[in-house]
Amino acid sequence: MTPPLIRSATKRQFLLQLDLDPGDDRTSQMYWLLKDEAIRAYEAQLQGRRDLLRPEYASQDPPYAAAHFTAAAFSSVVRSIYSMASPLTRPYYNKGVNSQGDNWVISWMLYHVCRYRDGRNIRARSREFHADDDLDESSCGSSKTTDAHDDEQRNHN
């Protein structure tokens, strides 16, 4: 297993942790394959599902942040993504499995898919919705899409 990253780690950190070259076109293709699997699972299993929310968020209107879902619901979707992984994405997911059955690679990607939709992401409210999907270093390392808690976590690591 590759050592895990916190969910708020940058895209660049994520790619490097998976031994992917941020400047390589094949990396961009692989990233989009991983992201597409997470998007499809999010849309099929989490999107608009109040019954999967933690009690304190049950009355909130969508879109929901990853943290709004119960740990069991989020973990179930992570396991679902892993079980339905394509032969191309499976090797990268295998790098994220730990002895408890958690998968930091899928969790990171699913967290970021939720983040695009939860209303906190400034870029998601602008025309630059997927701007951080560019492999340009300046956008990959940007902290504009992180909240104060994520910044605090990063400073402690």
Side-chain angles (χ1 to χ4, degrees):
M1 179 183 100
T2 304
L5 288 177
I6 59 172
R7 289 180 182 173
S8 61
T10 66
K11 178 182 176 184
R12 180 175 182 72
Q13 291 168 320
F14 174 76
L15 295 173
L16 292 173
Q17 195 74 357
L18 293 176
D19 296 321
L20 292 169
D21 177 3
D24 189 326
D25 287 341
R26 292 172 297 196
T27 293
S28 181
Q29 293 168 353
M30 180 52 60
Y31 179 82
W32 277 97
L33 289 173
L34 295 165
K35 186 172 182 179
D36 184 61
E37 289 180 353
I39 289 170
R40 285 186 286 123
Y42 171 85
E43 290 174 348
Q45 298 174 49
L46 291 176
Q47 189 172 20
R49 296 282 309 270
R50 282 181 197 238
D51 59 313
L52 300 178
L53 296 176
R54 292 175 24 203
E56 60 269 30
Y57 300 109
S59 63
Q60 185 170 327
D61 290 328
Y64 306 120
H68 294 173
F69 295 102
T70 65
F74 197 87
S75 293
S76 176
V77 176
V78 168
R79 286 190 304 277
S80 173
I81 292 169
Y82 185 81
S83 71
M84 306 211 16
S86 76
L88 294 173
T89 58
R90 172 84 54 165
Y92 293 97
Y93 295 152
N94 286 341
K95 292 182 176 193
V97 176
N98 69 21
S99 60
Q100 291 80 36
D102 297 325
N103 190 303
W104 73 262
V105 173
I106 298 171
S107 291
W108 185 94
M109 187 61 75
L110 187 57
Y111 170 88
H112 285 268
V113 166
C114 290
R115 185 156 189 125
Y116 281 130
R117 290 156 175 79
D118 74 8
R120 291 180 299 148
N121 187 330
I122 294 168
R123 289 183 181 179
R125 294 188 302 259
S126 73
R127 279 189 241 139
E128 298 179 41
F129 181 71
H130 289 288
D132 73 331
D133 287 326
D134 294 336
L135 290 176
D136 175 355
E137 276 186 44
S138 63
S139 64
C140 290
S142 172
S143 62
K144 290 181 182 176
T145 60
T146 60
D147 59 27
H149 177 72
D150 292 342
D151 291 338
E152 184 178 310
Q153 276 187 315
R154 203 174 305 115
N155 290 335
H156 284 75
N157 289 334

